[in-house]
C-alpha cells in the first residue's frame, strides 16, 4: 500500500514555535525609567541653580576680586548671562556693576584683543 506514507505527517510534529519572536526588538518599552533619579535630563553643563552669592551670603560683590568676577565673564570679556550662571537677579545686577567697575580700573578687559 503506497498510501501509508502519509501517516508520518501526523506523527510527532516538530512544528513547535521558535522562541524568538520576529516582531521588532527595539520598539517595545524597556521598562519605566526615572524612578528616583535626580533628574538626568539636560545635556548642557548646568551649574547649580542656586545663586552663588546668596549661598555664600555675599551682599556686596567686591569688584577687586578678579578671580571671582572672572567666573562670570566669558573668555572674550562678555558677562555671562544669568541663566547660565544661576545668579539671582539682584546679585547679577551687582555683579554687572562690579564687573564694569573692574573694567574701569583695568582689572578686567572690556574685550579680549585678538
Ligand atoms: Zn543672589
Amino acid at each position: 500500500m503506497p498510501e501509508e506514507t502519509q501517516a508520518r505527517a501526523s506523527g510527532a510534529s516538530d512544528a513547535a514555535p521558535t522562541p524568538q519572536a520576529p516582531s521588532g526588538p527595539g520598539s517595545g518599552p524597556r521598562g519605566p525609567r526615572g524612578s528616583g533619579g535626580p533628574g538626568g535630563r539636560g545635556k548642557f553643563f548646568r551649574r547649580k541653580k542656586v545663586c552663588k552669592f546668596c549661598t555664600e551670603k555675599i551682599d556686596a560683590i567686591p569688584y577687586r576680586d578678579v578671580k571671582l568676577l572672572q567666573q562670570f565673564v566669558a573668555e572674550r570679556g562678555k558677562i555671562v548671562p544669568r541663566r547660565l550662571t544661576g545668579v539671582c537677579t539682584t546679585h547679577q545686577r551687582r555683579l554687572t556693576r562690579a564687573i564694569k567697575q573692574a573694567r574701569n580700573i583695568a582689572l578686567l578687559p572690556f574685550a579680549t584683543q585678538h
Side-chain angles (χ1 to χ4, degrees):
M1 294 195 185
E3 292 176 9
E4 269 186 20
T5 53
Q6 75 168 16
R8 74 178 175 107
S10 63
S13 69
D14 50 350
T18 52
Q20 299 173 1
S23 61
S27 61
R30 297 207 61 164
R33 275 208 161 202
S35 59
R41 63 189 183 132
K43 291 175 186 174
F44 290 99
F45 173 73
R46 188 180 278 183
R47 291 176 197 231
K48 277 190 296 184
K49 200 62 179 176
V50 194
C51 172
K52 174 189 174 68
F53 302 103
C54 283
T55 47
E56 296 187 11
K57 300 197 175 176
I58 301 174
D59 191 36
I61 296 177
Y63 60 89
R64 290 166 195 266
D65 198 344
V66 183
K67 280 190 176 181
L68 178 73
L69 297 181
Q70 274 177 343
Q71 298 176 28
F72 302 96
V73 174
E75 288 181 23
R76 290 176 55 194
K78 288 172 62 178
I79 299 174
V80 183
R82 192 172 76 81
R83 59 185 170 85
L84 294 184
T85 56
V87 179
C88 72
T89 322
T90 311
H91 281 118
Q92 176 72 19
R93 294 187 69 174
R94 291 177 188 174
L95 182 68
T96 309
R97 286 181 59 181
I99 290 173
K100 284 176 180 173
Q101 275 184 296
R103 280 173 179 169
N104 280 328
I105 59 175
L107 287 178
L108 284 175
F110 284 92
T112 307
Q113 297 156 0
H114 54 131

